[in-house]
Amino acid sequence: MRVEAVAGGYRLMTLPSYGAVVARFQNAQSSAKLSRAAVETLAIIAYRQPVPRATLEALRGVACGEILKTLMERRLITIAGRAEELGRPILYATSKGCLEAFGLSSLKDLPTVAEAGLKP
């Protein structure tokens, strides 16, 4: 076991080498994985938050409604408010659940765009 800072608090974590044993002990099922489209959308939200749906769709080039719904159901993103522009679109941001799911203590732990090899 180890103690890690996660999402502004601390959590007791199992060492990776014992993860399978602990999961069997708890009769835990493996969590469903995110699709590539969901990961892309989540990454855009994490790096540009708060972001409206129109910006997400412009960057990805496809509709994101179902993906946003899935990310909201899994509590990886949350509604951060409304933009002060025409139509007052909803703004999306990552949630505390996202930080916990990826083992981050804050968004500052994300790699920079240059470190990740992404285009700015």
Side-chain angles (χ1 to χ4, degrees), residues 12-112:
L12 192 59
M13 308 284 273
T14 304
L15 293 172
S17 57
Y18 297 108
V21 175
V22 172
R24 272 193 313 242
F25 179 71
Q26 294 180 337
N27 292 326
Q29 297 177 357
S30 63
S31 61
K33 295 185 179 183
L34 291 174
S35 67
R36 181 180 176 108
V39 172
E40 287 174 0
T41 304
L42 187 58
I44 293 169
I45 293 170
Y47 281 99
R48 294 186 176 224
Q49 66 183 316
V51 62
R53 178 176 168 176
T55 301
L56 289 168
E57 291 175 347
L59 290 170
R60 292 202 60 241
V62 295
C64 296
E66 288 299 314
I67 294 169
L68 290 172
K69 180 182 173 187
T70 301
L71 293 173
M72 295 269 300
E73 288 172 354
R74 293 187 183 194
R75 299 191 173 154
L76 296 175
I77 63 170
T78 187
I79 294 173
R82 291 195 172 264
E84 294 294 330
E85 57 188 57
L86 185 62
R88 300 201 20 97
I90 295 173
L91 297 172
Y92 296 95
T94 54
S95 67
K96 187 175 179 182
C98 180
L99 295 176
E100 291 172 353
F102 290 97
L104 302 170
S105 60
S106 73
L107 289 173
K108 293 177 183 172
D109 292 341
L110 286 172
T112 64

